[in-house]
Amino acid sequence: MGRVTVQTLAGLKRRGERAVFLTAYDYPTATFADRAGADLLLVGDSAAMTMLGLPNTLGVTLEEMLVFARAVARAARRAFVVGDLPFLSYQPSDEAAIRSAGAFVAAGCDAVKCEGGARIARRVSAMSDAGIAVMGHLGLTPQSLGQLGGYRVQGRTPAALQRIADDARVLEEAGAFAILLEALPPEAAAFVREKVSVPVYGIGAGPLLDGQLVISHDILGTFVGDIAPRFVRRYANLDAAIEAASRAYAEDVRCGRFPGPEHCYGQGAMSNEQWAMSNGQ
Ligand code: KIV
């Protein structure tokens, strides 16, 4: 099976096949998701919360994101890897955007993602003109949390929905190869999808799109925090599994049950006398 490319993703959309999109921030998770057949892996700036324990996505730096991106890109054999441009790594200027996006490409990513519509269209054009594949992100855009007033569903009035649809068109014209919609009612998301020809993926935006994104920590049960979005379905309870395994190990160490004889190295060619001598007896 060959690597997923922007052409593969366009082909999936053309055939009406849904793309499978997951976040990953580390080598093992990316390896398992890739083996499971994920089409896209997002090295999301949600790493700030999932991996670093920060309260929102605003505090993660480009340098930190690149560490996660290298690990994921190293693991991906087939999946298309998208690096998420963190807050203030692309907003200040076209040059900043090209340099930051270029750093993700150098780290092994196939594309970058950035948040916003018309107001960042110039940045999207600049990155596209530099030969970099760009995914747009509309709806709930966590890097603008202060302006949005919290994690709120978007596109719930005709004017707000029209703005998102217009933004989607502007991003497509600027060269975006795909658009991600976050936290929209399903019909609103479908309305936006109808306005563009590129693939439109969703997270918390209903089933009527070209693919679904989830945060790996949410489906695996390893997110530590208070945010519990309505759209999350748990597929595993790794939190409980990790805690139980750590507890069992701690008990074995405290009781002297670990390590057992099967975990100890033999003394090799040394006789008991040599062993005693080397111990100064
Ligand atoms: O950083 C991320 O994981 C994201 C998704 C929540 C859309 O941007």
Side-chain angles (χ1 to χ4, degrees), residues 23 42 44-46 84 113 137 180 182 203 213 215:
T23 67
L42 173 66
D45 64 355
S46 50
D84 205 4
K113 172 172 89 56
H137 178 169
L180 176 71
E182 179 168 354
I203 177 165
L213 170 67
I215 303 229

Side-chain angles (χ1 to χ4, degrees), residues 43-115:
V43 188
D45 64 355
S46 50
M49 300 156 85
T50 55
M51 300 297 286
L52 303 178
L54 292 167
N56 54 50
T57 62
L58 300 175
V60 68
T61 65
L62 179 63
E63 286 66 33
E64 288 166 332
M65 287 300 299
L66 292 174
V67 174
F68 298 127
R70 282 187 208 101
V72 171
R74 224 172 271 138
R77 299 271 176 271
R78 174 182 171 273
F80 186 87
V81 179
V82 182
D84 205 4
L85 288 163
F87 185 52
L88 294 189
S89 70
Y90 59 100
Q91 289 94 339
S93 67
D94 288 353
E95 183 178 338
I98 294 168
R99 286 196 188 285
S100 301
F104 274 104
V105 172
C109 291
D110 299 296
V112 295
K113 172 172 89 56
C114 56
E115 297 185 8

